[in-house]
Amino acid sequence: MPRHLFGIAAVGSDGTIVEVGDVGHPFSIQSDSKPFVHALVMPAVGAETVQAKIGVNATGLPFNSVMAIELNPDRTMNPMVNAGAIATTSLAPGDTAEATWQSIREGLSRFAGRDLALNEEVDQSQAATKLRNRGIAKLLEG
């Protein structure tokens, strides 16, 4: 994606939409998906279950910190950092990885008001550099 692009849209409680910039260009949502996946999982498994398993406290460390996992005996503290987002995703409905992915994609599409597609270029780039997140996932297993 060209780095010079920028777009932002806001929707007011009365439905008023304000858009600025390159809003017609699709952007990769990446970490922006974290609060939306959290919102999808809460009604699926219950807010109490999510809070008990994920937590809501700030880590005080970077979003992709491995140390934050090691320092916290419960492993996760916040669904908006990578460890918490990975754990939150594991709670999403689906009997298989594909079914879980479909559930999340469909839920995010409902939030977006349109069908969201996987950006293959971004997916391949992320797959090539996901060692830290794989390490986080392994720590969460233990």
Side-chain angles (χ1 to χ4, degrees):
M1 176 179 337
R3 295 179 187 261
H4 69 280
L5 295 176
F6 175 82
I8 190 166
V11 179
S13 59
D14 64 355
T16 302
I17 299 172
V18 178
E19 300 175 326
V20 177
D22 300 299
V23 295
H25 191 316
F27 287 84
S28 172
I29 61 174
Q30 297 187 27
S31 284
D32 292 337
S33 67
K34 290 174 182 174
F36 297 102
V37 172
H38 186 248
L40 291 170
V41 168
M42 294 220 0
V45 299
E48 296 80 19
T49 299
V50 175
Q51 184 169 353
K53 291 186 179 205
I54 310 301
V56 294
N57 296 320
T59 66
L61 295 166
F63 75 96
N64 62 350
S65 173
V66 174
M67 187 184 303
I69 301 165
E70 289 293 329
L71 292 174
N72 182 21
D74 295 328
R75 296 296 196 211
T76 63
M77 298 175 64
N78 186 318
M80 302 305 136
V81 298
N82 286 13
I86 291 167
T88 301
T89 300
S90 76
L91 299 175
D95 294 331
T96 65
E98 180 59 32
T100 300
W101 163 242
Q102 278 303 107
S103 172
I104 291 170
R105 191 191 66 74
E106 289 169 2
L108 293 175
S109 292
R110 286 192 304 275
F111 279 121
R114 64 180 178 85
D115 189 39
L116 297 178
L118 180 68
N119 181 312
E120 295 293 338
E121 183 180 345
V122 171
D123 186 48
Q124 289 173 8
S125 171
Q126 292 293 309
T129 60
K130 68 181 176 184
L131 290 178
R132 180 175 291 269
N133 282 340
R134 287 180 113 179
I136 289 171
K138 279 297 201 192
L139 283 172
L140 293 176
E141 283 180 355

